[in-house]
Amino acid sequence: MTESERYKHIKKLKDMIISCSGIGDCRIGFRPTVGRFGVCPSYEHSPGFEPYHARGKLRVLYGILEGTLEPSEELARIFFQCPTCGSCHAICHQSYDENINWFICNYIDHTKAWEAFRADLVEMGLAMPRHKELIQSIEENHNPYFEKHEDRIKWLSGRQFPEKADTLYYMGCTEPYRLPEYAQKMVEILDASGIEYTIAHPDEWCCGSIALRTGHLKIAKELAEHNVEAIQKKGVKNVVIHCAGCYRTFVKDYPEILGKELPFKVYHATEFFLDLVNQGKLKLTKNINKKLSYHDPCHIGRAAEIYEPPRELLKKIPGIELVELKRNRENAWCCGAGGGVKSAFPELAVEIAQDRIKEAEEIGVNTIVTACPFCVRNLRDSAQSLKKNEFNVIDILDLVTDAIEK
Amino acid sequence: MDLLKTIKEIVGPDYVSDADFIRQSYGKGIAGGLIEKRPDYVVRPHSVEEISEILKVANKEKIPIIPRGGGAGLLDGVLPPKEGGIVLDMTGMDEILDFNEDNLTVTVQCGITWAQLNTFLMERGYYTGSLGPGSGMSAVIGGGLSHHSVGGGGAAKYGAVTRHCVGLKVVLANGDIITTGSGASKYIKEPFSRWGLGPDLTSIFLGDQGIMGIKVEATLLIYPKPKYRSYRTFMIKRKAPKVVSKILLDYRKAGDLGIYDAFWLPDLSVAAGLGLIVSEFTVFKLWKEVNPKGKDVFFYTCEAESEEELEQNVKKLNELALQNKGVEMFGPEIEDGNIAKWHYEKNGHWQIYHGFWGAAGRGSIPQTAEHHIPIHQIPQMMDALSKWESENQDLLMKAGPAIHGLGSALLCDHTTVEMDSGLIVFNKPEFREINEKLWKSNLEMVVRSGGMPYMAGMRYSRALIDAGAFSDPYYNFLKAVKYALDPNGIISPGKFYLGGKE
């Protein structure tokens, strides 16, 4: 690697990195008026030195750009322990809302900076070993789970889909390989609405979220190019995605990676189903007598600002009592699974999710509903680690399928 | 002596580090563009006893100790004077130890943030009155008490935070642990006052810039949060320094009008805000419509226990403002341009002005010269700032250009006003030398013009000495107190040119 290639990803963000004014709200900001209680989940579960939260990370990147610091394995581990939840971005004076984000100030996109540095670390041979394995699996199998590509639709038991349709269900990897019941529920709901839809298999590959979050940009680009082309071939207008990570990657990252707008509209399942309910195509009539709280997944929440559709959809289900968690919407506490943390630092991911379980219990709720298979898995692992057998972690798909008029 | 091994034995291996990237991240203040000074070690203690043990070692070995809270100070208060030493990161000590409703006090560890504490208190109907510094979301109690903080809200009603501290637990340089205020008596179980057991020795550690000892616990008075609030915003079309000065003094002379905060945003700040309009931001959007030339803006918040009291006070406060020529009032709602209401009800904190720090352009940062003066001296100080700016125009241009002026001013204790003046400079290596020169000159100018540093840190405390503010007998007295408590000068060395090898 030549000198000019070193840190090429963070060099592009130099203006942003040196602009941190260093107030440090990204450590543990509380702002009750707007529902903000704490900021950084990885900091809260760390020894607490500065580089464990955003200000310290930016200072470290500054040092690297100035040539006063060299990356090390220890430093890399700290950067890879961040679930890239974007909470620091949401509270930062220089990015937290339109009021402060002035054009002559320098806007800081924190997660973009972390991901850029991860890409530099990967190119310097400092990737996390587990991430390298996952990437290898994606290259070999088109999924990070070391599963055979053809098994992506095993749960469909040979069902056939039309060659072309206006709508396509992009299933991602986690649901078909690890939580197939949710892939089945997606199909069940789409079937119940009576719309014609198809899937991209065998040409559906991993969306590349894991590659992007863990600094493997080259493969992420290849995956983006492949998936967009494969979906385009199906002649679809709408793509519906339930996996929050895939959704964010499609709507936020693909246009940036590919340098162009996508040739189809992408909907998160909660947005899409809410539309179907409002159009009368999907009827949710069965009473579900449940008190629960909605956990905002970071990938559709802070990353894509889908806060209300899941809540609206829940309100369409008879008998649901929705009690908001103290930290919700842009102030939501991350489950801890994102950014490659679940795979490389599983214990940390579970510890962070325990905060969320306790937060629900504090308001007398023993069911968390979310809209992301990653959050479901990690929150369930966490409830189990706390030996909370009576605590339920479900997905909004569970409630919708139960409420469908059959 | 293997210092790292010794400290590990005291705090545990996870809470001390000599890693270069950790030391680097503690080696810059908020004025991040200036010279970096890495400590040798960073330690995150979790008990008073751990701190005591660390100080015993440091005192014996004559190792500098730099206590650090939220790291939100603007004048390098948390940096070593040169490379080396131990930074004590106090943020691991953030417990609320005693919430005492019978005594209306709260005792906390000094590493808790003002926002964490006030969130806890407000959920129970109380607050600390003065809510800490403007950076109170990240700034901690210990730093606020060291800096005599204002700006986080409530300064007009309650004054600086130091007024409400009734006792401290402090670790001295030799490792001794003392309790000040009424807690100094072993027969008094609940701290409630600073006076009565001899001289007020708590005050030695208040506003001390962290040089006298390590504050580990503090007891603060708490107050019931009034139920009613009102906010109004005014445009000042002419002679703003004189008009603001008159309005604020009239408010004070009118007795208790329940005024909680009063802010002045000079035309420089308003113009910056107007230049940065985004369509969604209704306050600035309206300002653009009704205040297109970016005239000065003044706003207040007042509190009351009843609607009648509030109405009466608002009427009086508005009259006192509007009796001045060229003063116009915005409507009562956020949509009408009432930024005061926006601060409290939408933004949730007095922190908008931090956004101005980037106002000079990409990569710009603040080099503050915030100071206190009596209200009636606002016009003279504004003249002094203008004069300095004219004299340093060439240098300012060479620095990027850097911007100089007053960002905001707020009413504090009695007739004190905090003037948020200073520089906005570019955080680039090529400007560092010139930035240093400008900052030093600017701070000394404020001192010579009668300004009293708000937070002093390393920079202002030295500017006081460099500008010859202290008489020899006074400076000798300060030294005598410092070295009586810290004979080896290990705690926060360098401030006021005290301690260390200087």
Side-chain angles (χ1 to χ4, degrees):
Chain A
M1 183 183 280
T2 64
E3 193 53 39
S4 65
E5 282 173 329
R6 275 160 63 89
Y7 317 124
K8 69 178 178 198
H9 299 286
I10 57 168
K11 276 178 186 168
K12 290 180 198 161
L13 305 177
K14 186 176 178 185
D15 276 353
M16 187 189 284
I17 289 163
I18 67 172
S19 289
C20 170
S21 47
I23 278 291
D25 289 345
C26 47
R27 181 176 69 85
I28 194 168
F30 273 60
R31 185 182 284 190
T33 312
V34 295
R36 169 60 71 168
F37 304 94
V39 182
C40 182
S42 50
Y43 165 80
E44 294 283 340
H45 293 275
S46 75
F49 295 110
E50 284 274 319
Y52 286 94
H53 63 86
R55 174 176 65 184
K57 283 188 171 66
L58 287 167
R59 293 255 161 92
V60 166
L61 296 186
Y62 194 153
I64 286 171
L65 287 171
E66 282 199 318
T68 54
L69 276 181
E70 281 286 323
S72 61
E73 278 183 31
E74 193 188 353
L75 175 63
R77 281 176 65 81
I78 291 177
F79 271 83
F80 280 109
Q81 281 170 13
C82 163
T84 63
C85 71
S87 182
C88 50
H89 180 65
I91 198 169
C92 176
H93 292 206
Q94 286 170 264
S95 61
Y96 81 91
D97 65 21
E98 71 279 13
N99 307 330
I100 305 293
N101 174 22
W102 298 335
F103 67 89
I104 62 168
C105 258
N106 215 1
Y107 182 82
I108 300 175
D109 186 337
H110 302 73
T111 46
K112 196 171 183 173
W114 314 152
E115 286 175 9
F117 187 51
R118 288 176 177 195
D120 286 323
L121 290 170
V122 167
E123 286 171 17
M124 297 174 80
L126 289 169
M128 293 294 101
R130 181 60 180 160
H131 292 162
K132 281 198 269 191
E133 291 170 8
L134 301 182
I135 297 302
Q136 190 190 342
S137 175
I138 292 172
E139 285 173 329
E140 289 169 2
N141 309 304
H142 310 315
N143 71 74
Y145 294 117
F146 305 92
E147 301 285 356
K148 291 179 190 160
H149 179 57
E150 55 269 32
D151 288 349
R152 188 181 287 268
I153 54 160
K154 202 169 164 186
W155 54 278
L156 276 168
S157 313
R159 169 167 172 173
Q160 297 299 306
F161 289 87
E163 186 54 35
K164 294 209 170 195
D166 279 354
T167 301
L168 181 141
Y169 163 41
Y170 179 90
M171 59 192 85
C173 304
T174 305
E175 286 173 21
Y177 291 118
R178 290 292 176 267
L179 294 166
E181 65 272 26
Y182 288 126
Q184 273 158 353
K185 286 183 181 189
M186 279 295 291
V187 166
E188 191 181 326
I189 298 166
L190 288 165
D191 286 347
S193 70
I195 63 162
E196 192 179 46
Y197 67 100
T198 189
I199 59 172
H201 190 78
D203 289 329
E204 178 184 317
W205 290 0
C206 170
C207 71
S209 177
I210 284 183
L212 277 168
R213 308 301 149 232
T214 61
H216 297 81
L217 303 189
K218 189 166 167 279
I219 186 170
K221 191 175 181 198
E222 288 165 13
L223 293 167
E225 285 166 347
H226 170 86
N227 281 324
V228 171
E229 194 186 331
I231 292 168
Q232 212 171 353
K233 274 186 193 159
K234 292 283 181 179
V236 301
K237 292 177 183 162
N238 307 315
V239 174
V240 55
I241 302 175
H242 174 248
C243 173
C246 298
Y247 174 82
R248 173 238 162 100
T249 304
F250 267 71
V251 298
K252 200 171 171 189
D253 299 309
Y254 276 13
E256 198 176 321
I257 293 172
L258 302 173
K260 61 181 183 188
E261 290 303 309
L262 298 182
F264 40 77
K265 272 203 89 168
V266 180
Y267 295 89
H268 186 253
T270 54
E271 290 178 295
F272 197 75
F273 295 153
L274 181 63
D275 274 354
L276 291 174
V277 171
N278 287 337
Q279 290 169 34
K281 290 179 180 168
L282 188 61
K283 293 184 172 41
L284 307 179
T285 52
K286 277 199 191 166
N287 196 60
I288 310 288
N289 190 21
K290 237 182 217 337
K291 179 181 172 185
L292 45 78
S293 290
Y294 175 70
H295 164 77
D296 291 274
C298 303
H299 284 315
I300 62 166
R302 275 183 289 264
E305 296 185 1
I306 296 183
Y307 298 120
E308 301 314 318
R311 291 174 168 81
E312 290 300 312
L313 188 58
L314 286 168
K315 284 177 194 165
K316 299 283 183 189
I317 299 171
I320 293 288
E321 185 190 346
L322 178 62
V323 185
E324 288 290 355
L325 290 163
K326 189 173 180 179
R327 299 178 286 191
N328 59 66
R329 296 178 173 83
E330 66 270 29
N331 299 314
W333 197 245
C334 171
C335 81
V341 173
K342 182 73 176 168
S343 53
F345 306 97
E347 287 172 7
L348 173 62
V350 165
E351 268 184 43
I352 292 171
Q354 288 175 350
D355 296 344
R356 210 55 169 153
I357 305 289
K358 288 171 192 166
E359 194 175 333
E361 287 187 326
E362 276 170 20
I363 55 168
V365 166
N366 73 353
T367 301
I368 282 181
V369 61
T370 187
C372 167
F374 246 56
C375 296
V376 166
R377 287 187 74 197
N378 197 42
L379 288 164
R380 279 181 185 166
D381 289 349
S382 163
Q384 204 175 6
S385 73
L386 290 167
K387 302 196 185 341
K388 304 271 181 188
N389 297 330
E390 73 293 355
F391 197 94
N392 303 304
V393 179
I394 57 174
D395 193 279
I396 202 162
L397 300 181
D398 292 310
L399 299 169
V400 172
T401 46
D402 286 351
I404 286 175
E405 185 181 271
K406 297 198 173 86
Chain B
M1 165 185 211
D2 184 341
L3 190 59
L4 185 61
K5 183 169 172 277
T6 305
I7 300 174
K8 277 183 180 173
E9 282 166 4
I10 295 170
V11 297
D14 289 345
Y15 297 108
V16 54
S17 178
D18 64 348
D20 57 356
F21 61 89
I22 287 181
R23 290 160 49 220
Q24 163 113 3
S25 62
Y26 287 83
K28 284 180 189 283
I30 280 189
L34 301 174
I35 309 303
E36 164 204 322
K37 292 162 184 169
R38 293 183 192 180
D40 290 328
Y41 306 97
V42 182
V43 185
R44 288 191 86 236
H46 287 81
S47 74
V48 178
E49 290 70 28
E50 285 177 4
I51 294 172
S52 169
E53 290 305 310
I54 291 166
L55 280 169
K56 281 177 193 168
V57 173
N59 198 37
K60 189 175 165 206
E61 303 292 327
K62 298 186 175 51
I63 298 163
I65 291 279
I66 302 99
R68 173 184 165 116
L74 284 158
L75 287 134
D76 290 353
V78 293
L79 295 191
K82 54 187 80 167
E83 296 269 330
I86 298 170
V87 164
L88 273 189
D89 177 341
M90 297 293 290
T91 55
M93 294 184 60
D94 61 353
E95 298 291 320
I96 295 170
L97 302 171
D98 182 34
F99 167 58
N100 191 330
E101 271 191 287
D102 294 331
N103 217 22
L104 292 180
T105 57
V106 66
T107 301
V108 295
Q109 290 184 320
C110 285
I112 190 172
T113 68
W114 290 93
Q116 272 176 288
L117 174 59
N118 276 295
T119 299
F120 171 88
L121 291 172
M122 285 184 197
E123 284 171 354
R124 290 154 181 81
Y126 296 95
Y127 62 2
T128 55
S130 192
L131 304 182
S135 51
M137 288 209 298
S138 50
V140 305
I141 301 296
L145 295 174
S146 295
H147 285 305
H148 185 58
S149 283
V150 292
K157 184 171 179 180
Y158 294 97
V161 296
T162 37
R163 282 173 57 175
H164 313 282
C165 176
V166 292
L168 292 167
K169 185 172 277 186
V170 179
V171 181
L172 300 177
N174 63 2
D176 282 358
I177 301 165
I178 60 163
T179 303
T180 68
S182 42
S185 164
K186 67 180 179 183
Y187 302 111
I188 298 174
K189 302 300 175 200
E190 299 176 7
F192 62 94
S193 172
R194 298 219 299 260
W195 295 272
L197 301 173
D200 170 22
L201 296 182
T202 304
S203 275
I204 291 176
F205 305 98
L206 299 177
D208 71 330
Q209 310 304 314
I211 68 168
M212 297 298 187
I214 311 294
K215 288 180 270 299
V216 288
E217 292 173 14
T219 301
L220 304 173
L221 300 179
I222 58 171
Y223 304 89
K225 193 168 181 289
K227 293 182 184 65
Y228 299 92
R229 276 192 172 188
S230 189
Y231 327 87
R232 293 312 289 255
T233 302
F234 305 85
M235 175 169 37
I236 302 174
K237 289 184 164 177
R238 54 191 291 278
K239 296 183 179 172
K242 279 187 184 163
V243 171
V244 169
S245 171
K246 182 170 181 306
I247 292 172
L248 292 178
L249 206 52
D250 285 347
Y251 281 178
R252 284 304 192 218
K253 287 178 178 174
D256 182 9
L257 296 175
I259 193 158
Y260 182 75
D261 266 317
F263 256 78
W264 168 33
L265 290 180
D267 52 4
L268 176 75
S269 297
V270 176
L274 289 173
L276 309 167
I277 300 297
V278 282
S279 58
E280 306 303 317
F281 189 13
T282 51
V283 172
F284 280 149
K285 189 180 172 189
L286 188 110
W287 283 9
K288 195 175 191 181
E289 287 167 14
V290 300
N291 184 10
K293 289 184 180 168
K295 297 289 184 189
D296 297 60
V297 166
F298 169 82
F299 54 91
Y300 72 75
T301 303
C302 70
E303 294 181 328
E305 288 296 347
S306 70
E307 283 186 77
E308 297 72 27
E309 184 192 346
L310 188 72
E311 202 179 320
Q312 204 177 350
N313 286 341
V314 165
K315 189 166 173 276
K316 186 73 180 165
L317 288 164
N318 293 348
E319 278 172 11
L320 289 172
L322 291 169
Q323 71 182 1
N324 296 282
K325 266 188 188 171
V327 177
E328 290 178 15
M329 188 162 66
F330 291 80
E333 300 306 322
I334 295 173
E335 292 71 24
D336 299 324
N338 188 356
I339 191 174
K341 188 169 187 177
W342 176 81
H343 268 307
Y344 277 95
E345 296 189 358
K346 189 175 177 201
N347 186 39
H349 209 288
W350 298 97
Q351 296 192 317
I352 180 162
Y353 47 83
H354 290 168
F356 287 90
W357 290 353
R362 294 182 169 231
S364 61
I365 50 157
Q367 287 187 175
T368 190
E370 289 171 69
H371 56 276
H372 287 152
I373 52 169
I375 293 169
H376 76 93
Q377 286 180 10
I378 291 174
Q380 293 96 299
M381 184 55 85
M382 291 303 287
D383 288 344
L385 298 183
S386 297
K387 186 167 175 273
W388 181 88
E389 197 174 309
S390 302
E391 289 168 359
N392 288 276
Q393 200 52 241
D394 289 348
L395 219 48
L396 289 165
M397 290 306 287
K398 277 184 197 165
I403 291 179
H404 171 255
L406 182 74
S408 64
L410 77 149
L411 184 59
C412 304
D413 310 61
H414 202 52
T415 56
T416 300
V417 66
E418 194 257 345
M419 303 280 279
D420 179 16
S421 77
L423 294 147
I424 296 173
V425 300
F426 285 94
N427 185 12
K428 292 180 179 170
E430 61 268 34
F431 296 134
R432 280 182 189 162
E433 197 178 327
I434 200 165
N435 288 345
E436 288 279 357
K437 194 173 173 184
L438 280 168
W439 202 5
K440 186 171 188 300
S441 160
N442 190 244
L443 293 171
E444 287 177 26
M445 173 273 293
V446 172
V447 170
R448 290 195 175 96
S449 304
M452 202 154 78
Y454 159 39
M455 49 187 137
M458 191 71 75
R459 301 273 172 176
Y460 243 142
S461 67
R462 290 181 170 200
L464 284 166
I465 310 303
D466 293 340
F470 297 157
S471 66
D472 286 346
Y474 179 81
Y475 191 38
N476 289 336
F477 175 63
L478 176 64
K479 279 184 193 172
V481 176
K482 162 72 178 173
Y483 293 121
L485 293 171
D486 178 13
N488 294 316
I490 60 164
I491 299 180
S492 272
K495 292 173 184 169
F496 302 96
Y497 292 113
L498 298 176
K501 291 171 186 167
E502 307 206 27

